[in-house]
Amino acid sequence: MTVQQPSGGRLQIAANARLAESKRESENMRESRNRAIVVAVAFVLFTSTCGAARAQATQARIKVDIDRAIGEVDPHLFGNFAEHLGRMIYGGIYEEGSPLSDKNGYRTDVMEAVRQLNVSVLRWPGGNFASGYNWQDGIGPKDQRPARPELAWHALESNRFGTDEFLRYCEIIKAEPYICVNLGLGTIDDARHWVEYCNETRHTYWADQRRKNGREEPYKVTYWGLGNEIDGPWQLGHKNAEDYAKFALEAAKAMRAVDPGIKLVASGSSNFGADWIGWNRTVLGALRNTADYISLHTYIGNRENDLERFLGSSQNIDHYINVTEGLIRQAQSGQQNPRPLYIAYDEWNVWYRAYEKEQLEEVYDFEDALAMGMFFNSFFRHANIVKLANLAQMVNVIAPIMANKQGLFLQPTFFPLAEYGKQRGNTALDVWVSGPTYKIGSRAPLGYLDVSASYNARERVIYLNVLNRSKSADIASRIESQEGQIHGDVGVWEMNHPDLKATHTFGDDKKVHPATRTVSAALKDNAFSYTFPAHSLTILRIPLK
C-alpha cells in the first residue's frame, strides 16, 4: 500500500507527509488563490440564466453514444481486500465466541453488509502481511496452529483464520477468491504447494492434507498474486525489478505446472516516488508470456482540505493507467499472438488520517464518498484495460464497514460502492463532455464534471455517472443521446450533503445517504437538461426505446 500523496511506502507515509507539509503550504496557498481567480472568471463566462439557490449554475454538454463502446465493465472491478491487519479479520469478518457470529466464527451482521456490496473477488491475505506469511501455519486444527510475530504491522498472528476459513468465507458470500502468495520471504515451493493444497484433484500430499482438514473437493482458486509491492523498500523481501522478475517467472512456472488454469497477477510498482515506469517495463518484459495482469495501487488524501484538488486526483489515476497500458502494448509488440494482459487495480482507496497507531481505522466523511465515484469513473473510462480492482479494505481497516462487539455501521463510502456495482457486466461508453474547467498547479485543465457511462443492452438503459467536483457551483447540463431514442422517465440516484465533513458512527449512521427519485425528461432533439448540484455524485438511469 502506498499513498499517492505523498508517494512512498506505507512505513514512510507519515514521515513523508510531515516533511512535505511545510513546502506544500505556501505552494498550496498560491495555487488556491490563483485557482480561485481562474474559477471566478470561468464561472462568469459560463454563467447560465437558470440560477440555483446556492450558486448560479454553469453550462455543460454531455454526449452519449451507445455505439462508442470502450469494453465490458468487468464484474471483477467490484472486488475487495481482506488483510491480516488490525481488526480486519479478527473482530471484523471473524470473531469466535461472539453472539453475533455463527458456529464457524464468521460475523453474520458483517456478512450481511458485505453481501449488500456484492463483492465479486476478495484478495487475501495481504498486502504487506503476505510477504512474511507462511500459509502452512494457518491450516489444520486451530488449537495446534502456531502463533507467530507479524512483522509487517508489528502484531501477533494467531493463525486461527487461515486458508480454509478464507475460502469457505468466499463461498458463503459468493466472491471469487484471490490469493497473494509470499514472494517476499517465501519460496517457490511454498507457492506451488499452496496451489496444490487448494486446487489439486488427485491424491497428492497437499491435496490429502486438505482432505484431512475436512475439504474433499478442491477449492478451484483461479486468481493468484505473484507477491505484493515487492518494489517497495518497506516490503519484507524487497527486490529490484530484475531479481523480482526472475523470481516471479520461476514461481509462475511452478504454480502453473500444478494448475495450468490459474490466472496470475504480477506485482507492479506502487512506489510512485521512484522509477515506477522502469519497474513495470522490466516486469512486463519478463512476464509478458506468463502473467495475466499487472497490479497498480493508489491511495489519495485531502490533507490540504481542498475538495477540488482532492477530487482532481483522477488525473493521477488516469495517468498511471494510461502509462501502464502503454507499457503493456510495448511488451506485446512484435509478438504474433501476444498473451492478453490487463491491469489489476488491486489496492485503492482514500487513506491519510489513520495509520498503524490507529490500526488504520479511518473515519470517512461525505467528500470521501464522492471520491469513490471518481475512482470508478476512471476504471469505467479504461474498461478495455482495467479488468480487476479491489477496494482496500472491507471491514474496520480503511473500510466502508465498521464493526465492534455490539454491532456495526456503514460509512458514507459504502453507498457509492454498492450503487456502482449494479453496472457490472454493462458496456462502458466513451462519453464526450464539454464544460467549465479548473487547474491544479501546472497540470492540464480539468473538467468540473467527471463523467463515465455504461450501457445495459438487455434492458436498453444508459447509466450516466457524474461527479460534480465544484465545491460551490451547480452545473446545468444538456445531455444528448447520439444513438438510441430516450424514452420514459429518468431515474436519479444522488449523493449530496451540505457538510463535506459529515461522518457516521455507531448509533448515528443515517446522515449521509443517497436520495433516489425519477424525473420527467423534457426532450428536445433527443436531449434533456439536468443540473448537477455542487459537490455531488449522481447516477442517471436513462431508458431508450
Side-chain angles (χ1 to χ4, degrees):
M1 287 182 171
T2 3
V3 174
Q4 176 186 310
Q5 48 177 39
S7 59
R10 282 202 265 195
L11 303 181
Q12 299 171 328
I13 292 164
N16 287 351
R18 287 193 296 270
L19 288 171
E21 195 74 33
S22 60
K23 291 182 182 178
R24 283 201 302 253
E25 259 181 32
S26 59
E27 180 188 337
N28 289 336
M29 286 177 67
R30 288 194 302 271
E31 262 183 35
S32 297
R33 185 169 58 248
N34 293 340
R35 179 146 39 94
I37 294 169
V38 172
V39 169
V41 172
F43 284 165
V44 169
L45 293 174
F46 280 95
T47 297
S48 120
T49 55
C50 49
R54 287 189 305 278
Q56 205 161 9
T58 51
Q59 195 67 32
R61 189 178 174 199
I62 301 171
K63 294 197 291 187
V64 185
D65 187 339
I66 60 174
D67 288 337
R68 293 183 62 84
I70 299 172
E72 183 193 23
V73 177
D74 198 296
H76 289 137
L77 292 181
F78 306 98
N80 217 297
F81 178 30
E83 183 171 9
H84 287 246
L85 196 176
R87 297 190 309 117
M88 169 57 240
I89 302 293
Y90 306 108
I93 63 174
Y94 188 75
E95 191 169 5
E96 293 177 290
S98 167
L100 298 175
S101 298
D102 64 16
K103 64 181 181 179
N104 296 311
Y106 303 128
R107 280 281 295 262
T108 56
D109 56 339
V110 171
M111 191 181 293
E112 181 55 36
V114 169
R115 284 194 177 111
Q116 291 177 46
L117 285 178
N118 199 7
V119 174
S120 56
V121 57
L122 187 58
R123 182 173 179 248
W124 175 86
N128 291 355
F129 175 85
S131 293
Y133 180 58
N134 182 349
W135 68 271
Q136 295 171 31
D137 288 341
I139 61 172
K142 292 180 186 178
D143 293 338
Q144 296 177 25
R145 298 179 189 177
R148 303 280 191 196
E150 197 286 292
L151 303 180
W153 298 104
H154 309 104
L156 184 68
E157 174 54 52
S158 69
N159 282 304
R160 295 186 67 83
F161 187 97
T163 299
D164 292 289
E165 288 76 25
F166 168 68
L167 294 175
R168 287 174 192 141
Y169 190 79
C170 287
E171 289 179 337
I172 294 169
I173 66 170
K174 296 181 169 56
E176 189 95 33
Y178 167 17
I179 293 177
C180 182
V181 303
N182 179 353
L183 292 194
L185 302 183
T187 68
I188 292 172
D189 267 355
D190 292 336
R192 73 181 179 94
H193 290 157
W194 207 352
V195 176
E196 181 185 332
Y197 183 88
C198 294
N199 291 3
E200 181 59 71
T201 58
R202 298 168 297 180
H203 282 277
T204 65
Y205 177 80
W206 286 110
D208 285 343
Q209 289 298 112
R210 182 191 71 234
R211 294 182 177 97
K212 182 179 175 182
N213 293 333
R215 175 75 178 206
E216 174 63 33
E217 295 301 315
Y219 288 108
K220 299 180 181 177
V221 178
T222 299
Y223 294 90
W224 296 81
L226 295 170
N228 173 76
E229 296 184 356
I230 303 298
D231 67 312
W234 58 90
Q235 199 70 210
L236 295 168
H238 161 64
K239 299 172 179 63
N240 64 35
E242 291 76 14
D243 288 345
Y244 167 74
K246 291 175 185 176
F247 189 48
L249 180 61
E250 295 308 311
K253 285 160 58 178
M255 293 163 72
R256 278 245 170 82
V258 177
D259 184 351
I262 61 176
K263 292 187 180 296
L264 299 172
V265 182
S267 179
S269 176
S270 58
N271 190 2
F272 295 112
D275 183 11
W276 68 277
I277 295 174
W279 172 281
N280 286 354
R281 181 182 289 115
T282 298
V283 170
L284 286 166
L287 296 174
R288 64 182 182 174
N289 295 317
T290 304
D292 300 282
Y293 303 84
I294 185 167
S295 67
L296 288 177
H297 295 175
T298 300
Y299 295 90
I300 64 171
N302 189 17
R303 287 188 179 83
E304 295 86 355
N305 194 25
D306 183 338
L307 176 74
E308 295 175 5
R309 181 186 181 92
F310 172 55
L311 296 179
S313 298
S314 59
Q315 286 186 314
N316 293 44
I317 299 162
D318 289 340
H319 175 65
Y320 299 151
I321 294 171
N322 289 335
V323 170
T324 303
E325 181 179 11
L327 294 171
I328 289 171
R329 301 293 173 247
Q330 181 187 49
Q332 293 173 323
S333 65
Q335 294 186 298
Q336 190 171 2
N337 294 299
R339 183 184 187 86
L341 259 170
Y342 301 105
I343 291 171
Y345 228 116
D346 57 13
E347 287 189 34
W348 66 270
N349 207 342
V350 175
W351 176 30
Y352 67 103
R353 306 174 184 93
Y355 294 104
E356 195 169 347
K357 179 182 176 184
E358 298 83 13
Q359 294 191 301
L360 281 70
E361 297 198 5
E362 190 98 356
V363 176
Y364 288 117
D365 56 26
F366 167 63
E367 65 184 19
D368 298 323
L370 298 180
M372 301 297 101
M374 181 201 68
F375 272 101
F376 277 124
N377 284 347
S378 185
F379 298 159
F380 281 26
R381 288 193 297 266
H382 298 90
N384 62 306
I385 195 70
V386 181
K387 293 295 185 182
L388 190 153
N390 302 81
L391 176 83
Q393 297 193 24
M394 197 160 70
V395 186
N396 290 331
V397 173
I398 51 175
I401 303 166
M402 296 297 291
N404 63 15
K405 290 186 178 299
Q406 289 73 45
L408 62 78
F409 73 88
L410 306 179
Q411 302 227 56
T413 54
F414 180 94
F415 305 102
L417 297 170
E419 194 64 24
Y420 269 86
K422 296 175 183 177
Q423 297 178 57
R424 67 190 68 200
N426 288 0
T427 299
L429 302 178
D430 186 9
V431 184
W432 183 89
V433 183
S434 174
T437 62
Y438 68 106
K439 290 191 69 173
I440 301 173
S442 59
R443 296 181 184 181
L446 180 68
Y448 273 106
L449 294 187
D450 180 56
V451 183
S452 72
S454 73
Y455 177 57
N456 185 318
R458 183 175 56 82
E459 297 178 354
R460 286 195 59 78
V461 170
I462 293 170
Y463 291 83
L464 186 64
N465 312 302
V466 181
L467 168 65
N468 183 354
R469 294 187 260 228
S470 173
K471 184 176 181 179
S472 58
D474 299 346
I475 298 180
S477 304
R478 176 179 166 83
I479 299 166
E480 307 171 23
S481 175
Q482 301 296 105
E483 181 66 34
Q485 182 66 40
I486 298 173
H487 175 72
D489 292 342
V490 173
V492 179
W493 179 96
E494 180 187 289
M495 282 207 75
N496 200 359
H497 199 279
D499 181 4
L500 295 172
K501 304 298 182 182
T503 61
H504 289 172
T505 189
F506 293 99
D508 181 15
D509 63 349
K510 306 299 182 186
K511 287 182 292 195
V512 184
H513 272 242
T516 59
R517 63 185 183 276
T518 58
V519 296
S520 181
L523 291 176
K524 183 180 179 181
D525 299 328
N526 208 27
F528 65 97
S529 295
Y530 190 88
T531 297
F532 297 100
H535 58 261
S536 68
L537 179 63
T538 305
I539 299 176
L540 299 181
R541 187 181 186 276
I542 305 170
L544 304 180
K545 277 187 179 178

PDB file of all heavy atoms in Angstrom, residues 6-23:
ATOM      1  N   PRO A   6       1.745  11.832   0.283  1.00  0.00           N
ATOM      2  CA  PRO A   6       2.944  11.786  -0.546  1.00  0.00           C
ATOM      3  C   PRO A   6       3.199  10.386  -1.058  1.00  0.00           C
ATOM      4  O   PRO A   6       2.734   9.439  -0.484  1.00  0.00           O
ATOM      5  CB  PRO A   6       4.041  12.193   0.439  1.00  0.00           C
ATOM      6  CG  PRO A   6       3.532  11.677   1.756  1.00  0.00           C
ATOM      7  CD  PRO A   6       2.029  11.850   1.725  1.00  0.00           C
ATOM      8  N   SER A   7       4.035  10.236  -2.086  1.00  0.00           N
ATOM      9  CA  SER A   7       4.355   8.914  -2.583  1.00  0.00           C
ATOM     10  C   SER A   7       5.358   8.279  -1.649  1.00  0.00           C
ATOM     11  O   SER A   7       6.026   8.918  -0.858  1.00  0.00           O
ATOM     12  CB  SER A   7       4.921   9.018  -3.999  1.00  0.00           C
ATOM     13  OG  SER A   7       6.066   9.825  -3.990  1.00  0.00           O
ATOM     14  N   GLY A   8       5.487   6.946  -1.765  1.00  0.00           N
ATOM     15  CA  GLY A   8       6.423   6.222  -0.943  1.00  0.00           C
ATOM     16  C   GLY A   8       5.742   5.081  -0.244  1.00  0.00           C
ATOM     17  O   GLY A   8       4.563   4.856  -0.405  1.00  0.00           O
ATOM     18  N   GLY A   9       6.464   4.335   0.577  1.00  0.00           N
ATOM     19  CA  GLY A   9       5.954   3.142   1.201  1.00  0.00           C
ATOM     20  C   GLY A   9       5.066   3.427   2.376  1.00  0.00           C
ATOM     21  O   GLY A   9       5.032   4.509   2.914  1.00  0.00           O
ATOM     22  N   ARG A  10       4.343   2.377   2.775  1.00  0.00           N
ATOM     23  CA  ARG A  10       3.421   2.531   3.886  1.00  0.00           C
ATOM     24  C   ARG A  10       4.150   2.932   5.158  1.00  0.00           C
ATOM     25  O   ARG A  10       3.651   3.726   5.928  1.00  0.00           O
ATOM     26  CB  ARG A  10       2.687   1.217   4.122  1.00  0.00           C
ATOM     27  CG  ARG A  10       1.575   0.975   3.133  1.00  0.00           C
ATOM     28  CD  ARG A  10       0.582   0.015   3.692  1.00  0.00           C
ATOM     29  NE  ARG A  10       0.868  -1.323   3.248  1.00  0.00           N
ATOM     30  CZ  ARG A  10       0.030  -2.331   3.339  1.00  0.00           C
ATOM     31  NH1 ARG A  10      -1.132  -2.164   3.850  1.00  0.00           N
ATOM     32  NH2 ARG A  10       0.355  -3.526   2.930  1.00  0.00           N
ATOM     33  N   LEU A  11       5.360   2.404   5.338  1.00  0.00           N
ATOM     34  CA  LEU A  11       6.073   2.679   6.574  1.00  0.00           C
ATOM     35  C   LEU A  11       6.701   4.061   6.562  1.00  0.00           C
ATOM     36  O   LEU A  11       7.177   4.551   7.573  1.00  0.00           O
ATOM     37  CB  LEU A  11       7.173   1.620   6.794  1.00  0.00           C
ATOM     38  CG  LEU A  11       6.650   0.178   6.813  1.00  0.00           C
ATOM     39  CD1 LEU A  11       7.795  -0.786   7.055  1.00  0.00           C
ATOM     40  CD2 LEU A  11       5.591   0.018   7.882  1.00  0.00           C
ATOM     41  N   GLN A  12       6.689   4.715   5.386  1.00  0.00           N
ATOM     42  CA  GLN A  12       7.288   6.050   5.280  1.00  0.00           C
ATOM     43  C   GLN A  12       6.230   7.134   5.130  1.00  0.00           C
ATOM     44  O   GLN A  12       6.551   8.313   5.067  1.00  0.00           O
ATOM     45  CB  GLN A  12       8.208   6.098   4.048  1.00  0.00           C
ATOM     46  CG  GLN A  12       9.360   5.100   4.133  1.00  0.00           C
ATOM     47  CD  GLN A  12      10.104   5.021   2.823  1.00  0.00           C
ATOM     48  OE1 GLN A  12       9.526   5.183   1.765  1.00  0.00           O
ATOM     49  NE2 GLN A  12      11.385   4.776   2.879  1.00  0.00           N
ATOM     50  N   ILE A  13       4.965   6.752   5.072  1.00  0.00           N
ATOM     51  CA  ILE A  13       3.904   7.688   4.693  1.00  0.00           C
ATOM     52  C   ILE A  13       3.826   8.884   5.632  1.00  0.00           C
ATOM     53  O   ILE A  13       3.876  10.038   5.198  1.00  0.00           O
ATOM     54  CB  ILE A  13       2.549   6.961   4.682  1.00  0.00           C
ATOM     55  CG1 ILE A  13       2.537   5.955   3.537  1.00  0.00           C
ATOM     56  CG2 ILE A  13       1.405   7.940   4.522  1.00  0.00           C
ATOM     57  CD1 ILE A  13       1.449   4.929   3.661  1.00  0.00           C
ATOM     58  N   ALA A  14       3.695   8.630   6.915  1.00  0.00           N
ATOM     59  CA  ALA A  14       3.504   9.731   7.850  1.00  0.00           C
ATOM     60  C   ALA A  14       4.712  10.662   7.874  1.00  0.00           C
ATOM     61  O   ALA A  14       4.571  11.889   7.892  1.00  0.00           O
ATOM     62  CB  ALA A  14       3.237   9.179   9.248  1.00  0.00           C
ATOM     63  N   ALA A  15       5.922  10.079   7.837  1.00  0.00           N
ATOM     64  CA  ALA A  15       7.131  10.911   7.856  1.00  0.00           C
ATOM     65  C   ALA A  15       7.221  11.775   6.611  1.00  0.00           C
ATOM     66  O   ALA A  15       7.518  12.964   6.678  1.00  0.00           O
ATOM     67  CB  ALA A  15       8.366  10.011   7.962  1.00  0.00           C
ATOM     68  N   ASN A  16       6.948  11.171   5.472  1.00  0.00           N
ATOM     69  CA  ASN A  16       6.991  11.935   4.219  1.00  0.00           C
ATOM     70  C   ASN A  16       5.982  13.078   4.232  1.00  0.00           C
ATOM     71  O   ASN A  16       6.246  14.165   3.736  1.00  0.00           O
ATOM     72  CB  ASN A  16       6.694  11.026   3.029  1.00  0.00           C
ATOM     73  CG  ASN A  16       7.857  10.106   2.717  1.00  0.00           C
ATOM     74  OD1 ASN A  16       8.930  10.253   3.275  1.00  0.00           O
ATOM     75  ND2 ASN A  16       7.631   9.136   1.835  1.00  0.00           N
ATOM     76  N   ALA A  17       4.804  12.792   4.783  1.00  0.00           N
ATOM     77  CA  ALA A  17       3.764  13.820   4.826  1.00  0.00           C
ATOM     78  C   ALA A  17       4.221  15.017   5.642  1.00  0.00           C
ATOM     79  O   ALA A  17       4.026  16.175   5.246  1.00  0.00           O
ATOM     80  CB  ALA A  17       2.483  13.246   5.408  1.00  0.00           C
ATOM     81  N   ARG A  18       4.860  14.758   6.794  1.00  0.00           N
ATOM     82  CA  ARG A  18       5.307  15.872   7.647  1.00  0.00           C
ATOM     83  C   ARG A  18       6.403  16.677   6.966  1.00  0.00           C
ATOM     84  O   ARG A  18       6.422  17.905   7.032  1.00  0.00           O
ATOM     85  CB  ARG A  18       5.803  15.319   8.985  1.00  0.00           C
ATOM     86  CG  ARG A  18       4.684  14.834   9.898  1.00  0.00           C
ATOM     87  CD  ARG A  18       5.203  14.598  11.305  1.00  0.00           C
ATOM     88  NE  ARG A  18       6.197  13.543  11.351  1.00  0.00           N
ATOM     89  CZ  ARG A  18       5.890  12.265  11.537  1.00  0.00           C
ATOM     90  NH1 ARG A  18       4.644  11.897  11.669  1.00  0.00           N
ATOM     91  NH2 ARG A  18       6.829  11.346  11.574  1.00  0.00           N
ATOM     92  N   LEU A  19       7.345  15.958   6.287  1.00  0.00           N
ATOM     93  CA  LEU A  19       8.433  16.665   5.615  1.00  0.00           C
ATOM     94  C   LEU A  19       7.919  17.536   4.469  1.00  0.00           C
ATOM     95  O   LEU A  19       8.437  18.623   4.217  1.00  0.00           O
ATOM     96  CB  LEU A  19       9.438  15.646   5.053  1.00  0.00           C
ATOM     97  CG  LEU A  19      10.302  14.935   6.096  1.00  0.00           C
ATOM     98  CD1 LEU A  19      11.087  13.817   5.438  1.00  0.00           C
ATOM     99  CD2 LEU A  19      11.249  15.923   6.762  1.00  0.00           C
ATOM    100  N   ALA A  20       6.894  17.013   3.781  1.00  0.00           N
ATOM    101  CA  ALA A  20       6.393  17.753   2.618  1.00  0.00           C
ATOM    102  C   ALA A  20       5.429  18.862   3.000  1.00  0.00           C
ATOM    103  O   ALA A  20       5.180  19.769   2.215  1.00  0.00           O
ATOM    104  CB  ALA A  20       5.689  16.786   1.666  1.00  0.00           C
ATOM    105  N   GLU A  21       4.878  18.798   4.221  1.00  0.00           N
ATOM    106  CA  GLU A  21       3.788  19.706   4.587  1.00  0.00           C
ATOM    107  C   GLU A  21       4.182  21.165   4.496  1.00  0.00           C
ATOM    108  O   GLU A  21       3.475  21.991   3.924  1.00  0.00           O
ATOM    109  CB  GLU A  21       3.333  19.392   6.020  1.00  0.00           C
ATOM    110  CG  GLU A  21       2.010  20.004   6.398  1.00  0.00           C
ATOM    111  CD  GLU A  21       0.854  19.281   5.729  1.00  0.00           C
ATOM    112  OE1 GLU A  21       0.934  18.065   5.523  1.00  0.00           O
ATOM    113  OE2 GLU A  21      -0.110  19.976   5.394  1.00  0.00           O
ATOM    114  N   SER A  22       5.366  21.496   5.066  1.00  0.00           N
ATOM    115  CA  SER A  22       5.757  22.898   5.092  1.00  0.00           C
ATOM    116  C   SER A  22       6.000  23.427   3.687  1.00  0.00           C
ATOM    117  O   SER A  22       5.670  24.566   3.378  1.00  0.00           O
ATOM    118  CB  SER A  22       7.014  23.082   5.954  1.00  0.00           C
ATOM    119  OG  SER A  22       8.066  22.320   5.419  1.00  0.00           O
ATOM    120  N   LYS A  23       6.586  22.572   2.805  1.00  0.00           N
ATOM    121  CA  LYS A  23       6.838  23.004   1.433  1.00  0.00           C
ATOM    122  C   LYS A  23       5.526  23.244   0.699  1.00  0.00           C
ATOM    123  O   LYS A  23       5.404  24.159  -0.109  1.00  0.00           O
ATOM    124  CB  LYS A  23       7.642  21.938   0.675  1.00  0.00           C
ATOM    125  CG  LYS A  23       9.066  21.787   1.172  1.00  0.00           C
ATOM    126  CD  LYS A  23       9.782  20.740   0.331  1.00  0.00           C
ATOM    127  CE  LYS A  23      11.208  20.517   0.818  1.00  0.00           C
ATOM    128  NZ  LYS A  23      11.889  19.475   0.042  1.00  0.00           N
TER     129      LYS A  23
END
